[in-house]
Amino acid sequence: MSGTFTMYSTPWCGYCHRLKGQLKREGIAFDEVDIEQQPDAALIVEKANNGNQTVPTLVFADGTALTNPSLAQIKAQLAS
């Protein structure tokens, strides 16, 4: 099943690991892309973060993005 948003991350990112655990516990589906393995994905992250490769960056179907969001922020975005 496809997720409701895409999470751009890296394997070594502690914030990414924490957020993935929270999302899985809540049953929120998401797709994940490792920006170190997919250079095009790194460009998406840079565009959303003023040229920085900051992860986790979440991009939603409507094109909006959240960087290192809390679970509450994600739930609010999904509800809007």
Side-chain angles (χ1 to χ4, degrees), residues 15 22-23 25 27 32 35-36 38 49 53 55 58 68 71 74-76:
Y15 296 110
Q22 292 173 336
L23 292 168
R25 281 191 295 280
E32 184 178 4
I35 67 168
E36 291 185 338
Q38 297 188 26
N49 294 292
Q53 290 186 8
V55 291
L58 282 56
N68 198 16
L71 187 59
I74 295 167
K75 287 180 174 181

Side-chain angles (χ1 to χ4, degrees), residues 7-55:
M7 177 190 293
Y8 295 92
S9 65
T10 61
W12 48 265
C13 170
Y15 296 110
C16 300
H17 287 286
R18 185 192 69 206
L19 186 57
K20 284 187 277 188
Q22 292 173 336
L23 292 168
K24 287 177 183 176
R25 281 191 295 280
E26 292 290 322
I28 299 172
F30 61 95
D31 297 315
E32 184 178 4
V33 176
D34 179 348
I35 67 168
E36 291 185 338
Q37 298 299 316
Q38 297 188 26
D40 290 345
L43 296 174
I44 294 168
V45 171
E46 288 176 5
K47 184 177 178 186
N49 294 292
N50 299 315
N52 297 310
Q53 290 186 8
T54 307
V55 291

